[in-house]
Amino acid sequence: MRCSLLGTILAVSLLTSAFPLSAAVAAEDTRIEETSSKTAKLLQELLRFDSSNPGGQTLGQAEYLKKLFDAAGAETEIIVTPSGQAHFIARLKGDGSKKPVLLAAHSDVVPAERSGWSVDPFAGVIQDGYVLGRGAMDFKGGQAVFARAVLMLAENKVPLSRDVIFLAEADEEAGEYGTSWLAENYWEKIDAEFALNEGGWIFQNGAGETTQVNITTRDKIYVSLKLTAAGKPTHSSRPMTESAISHLTQALAKITQWDTDPTLNEQTREYFRALSRTAKEPLASHLKKLAEGKKPEELREAGRKVVELGDYPLLWHALMRNTVAPTMVNAGIKENVIPGTAEAIINVRLVPGSTPYEVMEQLRKVVNDPEVKIELASGMTDSEAREYYDKKTNAPASPVDTELYRALEESSKQVWPKAEVVPALFEAGTDGSAWRDRGVPVYGIYPYPLDNETLERMHGNDERISIRSLNEGTEMIYETLRKVAGR
């Protein structure tokens, strides 16, 4: 009886302590990961440089990176732009038997609205297994992963068949002295057989398992349109029902309530077909219908269900169509004057194969107001614009039969065995065109698995990336470089 009672007590004790013990073990694993991750520590340091664009400076960050790579024995250089910003270049020398591979990551970040943050966005705070800060995900996290992977080649004395170039860029978020300026003036320093940049997403499911690695081979085409409304200027004490502002606000209200139809090309069809192979029902069937549908009504319904059921609704919504987003509004010269004009900027991201003129015509029908003029915001002439967008539309995607793509594919499967690796379209834009325009294949990746909440914090408050994802991404990029550049 006594043994039975003791057994019961022991069993109850073990049962009641099991979950707290598991939590304690998990917490300890997280703590060890936080304190031992060299990539996370590097990211913390990078986040402490306020490189906001506009308003910040990339020179201090470039000088910090130079010290790290000088200590590793790399050839290094800082190139200061006419505006005082800085590009940093480090080169690990190979034996020259193959052309270099380049890893490019921008140092500048979008500004932070500090009032919306729970932590200082430039303090490099670690919280609950995540590094928080402006640029943690876009793209100082990627810069930290790329830099650590290259430094590991030097630390491990990996013999190289080709140079490995690491580039920390300025003026990606805005400005005239980004990679296009760098390529025009210093091409010999960044010329390579192929390049790795920001781009594709690495998806996690609800259980934290990595299910898909997207390697982007092309970006959506960036277009800004300008809406201009005209009206009669007069004193604000005598308001009118018809004014420039009223015309513009009604137009914007219509646009925000409207959506473009799904517009897919061969690349995005194959992408959604690949997603269907790893998704669960009923999402898998809707993804397949979206990939294979022909009729507009079929695509609309499939697209609606994919967004409704998907783990990444905003991302998948953007990838299946030309997106239209009002981003800037400007009107008025004084608070007691009803202005004679009002303007808004509409940012459009085109699926390759579409043109801005198609979207402009759709918007004119939606707005349906002769007092609102819709035109390209670029300032280019019509002939210049048509030539530019024809070139962008006809530019081929980077091929998937190169050594770099194969190395990315193999290393991804090595780190995440259950994940499917697929070439993809990037729903935004990058500065990879500096290489693509010169015939150099560019592959894009945000080199860390992430969930939808992390994705939606990009450019938002409490931007973050998990330390575990940083570690896994560093391993994947290091293995990629060993495969593509090692002898």
Side-chain angles (χ1 to χ4, degrees):
M1 183 73 176
R2 179 187 172 109
C3 289
S4 175
L5 179 60
L6 285 173
T8 302
I9 293 170
L10 180 60
V12 170
S13 174
L14 287 172
L15 182 63
T16 56
S17 66
F19 289 105
L21 183 61
S22 298
V25 170
E28 180 65 12
D29 286 347
T30 299
R31 188 191 67 78
I32 292 170
E33 199 165 53
E34 289 178 359
T35 56
S36 65
S37 172
K38 291 184 178 180
T39 306
K41 290 176 183 176
L42 174 56
L43 175 55
Q44 286 182 281
E45 294 299 326
L46 297 178
L47 291 171
R48 289 165 185 159
F49 293 96
D50 183 352
S51 55
S52 302
N53 187 351
Q57 174 56 256
T58 55
L59 181 57
Q61 188 168 325
E63 291 170 340
Y64 172 77
L65 287 167
K66 188 175 190 303
K67 290 179 183 177
L68 293 183
F69 280 90
D70 283 344
E75 294 181 1
T76 64
E77 183 174 6
I78 293 175
I79 297 174
V80 179
T81 74
S83 66
Q85 298 295 343
H87 298 278
F88 169 71
I89 303 172
R91 183 184 293 258
L92 292 185
K93 296 292 290 183
D95 64 17
S97 59
K98 296 180 179 180
K99 282 195 70 175
V101 58
L102 178 132
L103 295 87
H106 62 88
S107 298
D108 59 327
V109 298
V110 298
E113 296 179 281
R114 289 179 182 247
S115 61
W117 285 66
S118 67
V119 299
D120 182 344
F122 300 103
V125 172
I126 287 181
Q127 194 174 87
D128 300 325
Y130 290 85
V131 184
L132 280 73
R134 173 53 82 228
M137 187 189 143
D138 182 30
F139 189 62
K140 289 188 178 183
Q143 188 177 96
V145 168
F146 288 177
R148 273 302 307 154
V150 175
L151 288 167
M152 286 168 65
L153 292 176
E155 292 164 3
N156 296 333
K157 296 180 171 54
V158 176
L160 303 173
S161 61
R162 63 173 92 235
D163 292 0
V164 177
I165 306 170
F166 170 79
L167 169 64
E169 320 147 8
D171 278 5
E172 193 273 345
E173 296 291 357
E176 57 184 309
Y177 300 110
T179 57
S180 294
W181 176 85
L182 192 65
E184 185 177 340
N185 294 279
Y186 299 94
W187 177 244
E188 73 283 357
K189 298 181 185 296
I190 58 171
D191 186 14
E193 183 174 344
F194 25 56
L196 191 59
N197 204 326
E198 66 180 348
W201 306 108
I202 303 176
F203 291 150
Q204 287 179 329
N205 62 19
E209 298 170 325
T210 298
T211 58
Q212 185 163 329
V213 178
N214 300 324
I215 302 170
T216 49
T217 57
R218 196 173 187 182
D219 299 344
K220 275 182 132 181
I221 301 169
Y222 185 104
V223 183
S224 281
L225 305 178
K226 182 168 70 172
L227 273 60
T228 306
K232 181 180 179 181
T234 189
H235 198 285
S236 63
S237 64
R238 299 183 294 276
M240 303 174 291
T241 56
E242 296 288 317
S243 68
I245 288 180
S246 69
H247 283 289
L248 184 66
T249 53
Q250 289 175 55
L252 292 175
K254 291 175 183 177
I255 290 169
T256 56
Q257 295 300 312
W258 169 74
D259 201 3
T260 57
D261 283 341
T263 301
L264 291 92
N265 60 16
E266 282 307 309
Q267 184 177 26
T268 52
R269 286 184 185 279
E270 182 51 43
Y271 175 77
F272 285 110
R273 195 174 289 116
L275 276 178
S276 74
R277 294 194 289 267
T278 57
K280 296 179 180 178
E281 292 294 353
L283 176 61
S285 294
H286 294 300
L287 284 163
K288 190 173 182 185
K289 288 177 183 176
L290 179 65
E292 298 176 357
K294 303 297 181 186
K295 297 178 181 179
E297 58 271 20
E298 292 176 343
L299 291 172
R300 278 195 292 269
E301 177 59 17
R304 186 182 68 79
K305 297 300 289 185
V306 165
V307 170
E308 179 184 310
L309 298 171
D311 293 327
Y312 299 84
L314 295 181
L315 172 62
W316 291 347
H317 173 273
L319 282 172
M320 70 178 72
R321 55 173 45 84
N322 301 318
T323 57
V324 176
T327 55
M328 299 175 70
V329 179
N330 182 43
I333 55 172
K334 197 171 186 292
E335 63 188 47
N336 63 347
V337 177
I338 294 175
T341 59
E343 294 181 350
I345 296 297
I346 308 294
N347 190 244
V348 177
R349 306 299 176 109
L350 296 171
V351 174
S354 301
T355 72
Y357 306 100
E358 295 167 354
V359 176
M360 287 164 67
E361 190 56 37
Q362 292 169 358
L363 283 171
R364 290 188 183 108
K365 291 178 180 177
V366 170
V367 170
N368 192 27
D369 185 347
E371 298 302 321
V372 177
K373 181 181 179 182
I374 301 175
E375 60 188 335
L376 291 171
S378 62
M380 291 187 284
T381 66
D382 186 65
S383 60
E384 289 172 340
R386 290 185 183 278
E387 181 181 353
Y388 174 83
Y389 288 113
D390 282 348
K391 182 179 178 182
K392 288 290 184 184
T393 294
N394 294 323
S398 296
V400 296
D401 60 353
T402 65
E403 285 186 63
L404 180 54
Y405 185 90
R406 287 194 294 270
L408 286 164
E409 189 173 38
E410 291 169 9
S411 298
S412 296
K413 294 294 288 184
Q414 187 175 324
V415 177
W416 305 292
K418 295 181 180 179
E420 182 158 359
V421 184
V422 295
L425 175 71
F426 189 42
E427 81 279 6
T430 71
D431 53 7
S433 59
W435 293 274
R436 283 197 176 107
D437 290 349
R438 288 165 173 79
V440 176
V442 179
Y443 303 98
I445 196 162
Y446 278 80
Y448 17 66
L450 45 82
D451 56 22
N452 189 58
E453 183 182 351
T454 298
L455 176 60
E456 291 192 357
R457 292 189 189 198
M458 178 180 177
H459 285 203
N461 297 332
D462 286 354
E463 184 179 349
R464 70 181 192 181
I465 193 67
S466 87
I467 294 173
R468 178 159 296 178
S469 291
L470 287 169
N471 291 342
E472 291 176 1
T474 303
E475 181 184 353
M476 189 273 280
I477 297 298
Y478 174 70
E479 289 301 320
T480 296
L481 293 177
R482 281 205 322 117
K483 293 176 191 297
V484 79
R487 286 207 304 266

